[in-house]
Amino acid sequence: MKRMTALVFVTAFVIGACNTGDKKTDAAKDKYEQTKETLEETEKKNPARFLTVTGHDKKNLLGQTVVKGMLNNTAKVASYKDIEIKLFFYSKTKALLEEDVETIFETLAPGKSAEFKTKYFAPKGTDSVALKIVGAKGE
């Protein structure tokens, strides 16, 4: 009888210990998914925080200002599309001459980059162009 009781206790303990491990694994998976969702929500709400733009400009033969640039997505989860860039046209004395908004109709996956090119008839006296991310749609 003592052996039977001991066997029942040992079996119950082993079964209980096995189930506890599954609960820990499930809890860890749930926490990971919640963190991932929270990260994705944060990235989608703040595209300007996770997108960067660099570029340079030059004049072509027609007198247009050609702006070539590179978009980078530093987000870990979120993809962005229809990225809006604000262009600032400055004179030699750094006076702001004009502002324009350009939309780049591409989808940029997490960790990826994309090149773009646009042309403008910039205001007279333009010496340089600055670029800034204004917004984007989360995909």
Side-chain angles (χ1 to χ4, degrees):
M1 185 70 163
K2 288 182 181 181
R3 285 186 178 174
M4 185 66 133
T5 306
L7 184 62
V8 169
F9 282 123
V10 170
T11 305
F13 178 75
V14 170
I15 291 173
C18 291
N19 288 338
T20 305
D22 290 340
K23 289 179 184 176
K24 287 180 183 178
T25 305
D26 290 344
K29 286 180 183 177
D30 290 343
K31 185 173 181 171
Y32 171 76
E33 289 299 321
Q34 287 175 345
T35 304
K36 187 175 168 185
E37 287 174 9
T38 304
L39 178 63
E40 185 172 16
E41 289 170 6
T42 301
E43 290 177 349
K44 284 187 177 184
K45 288 179 184 176
N46 305 300
R49 192 167 140 197
F50 299 99
L51 291 170
T52 59
V53 62
T54 56
H56 64 280
D57 62 284
K58 66 177 187 173
K59 297 248 189 230
N60 65 9
L61 295 174
L62 300 174
Q64 294 174 314
T65 299
V66 179
V67 178
K68 290 184 179 180
M70 176 73 71
L71 292 168
N72 296 306
N73 182 356
T74 60
K76 302 292 183 201
V77 181
S79 294
Y80 300 103
K81 65 178 183 175
D82 302 341
I83 302 163
E84 293 181 348
I85 300 170
K86 192 171 225 180
L87 293 94
F88 302 91
F89 297 92
Y90 291 100
S91 70
K92 286 182 181 181
T93 61
K94 305 299 180 203
L96 179 61
L97 301 173
E98 187 177 312
E99 296 178 10
D100 282 313
V101 176
E102 178 78 18
T103 303
I104 309 299
F105 295 103
E106 286 208 31
T107 300
L108 204 54
K112 299 295 179 183
S113 299
E115 293 180 354
F116 69 93
K117 178 179 169 180
T118 186
K119 298 176 186 177
Y120 280 91
F121 281 108
K124 188 175 182 179
T126 297
D127 180 60
S128 62
V129 179
L131 306 168
K132 178 183 175 184
I133 299 289
V134 176
K137 296 177 183 174
E139 188 168 88

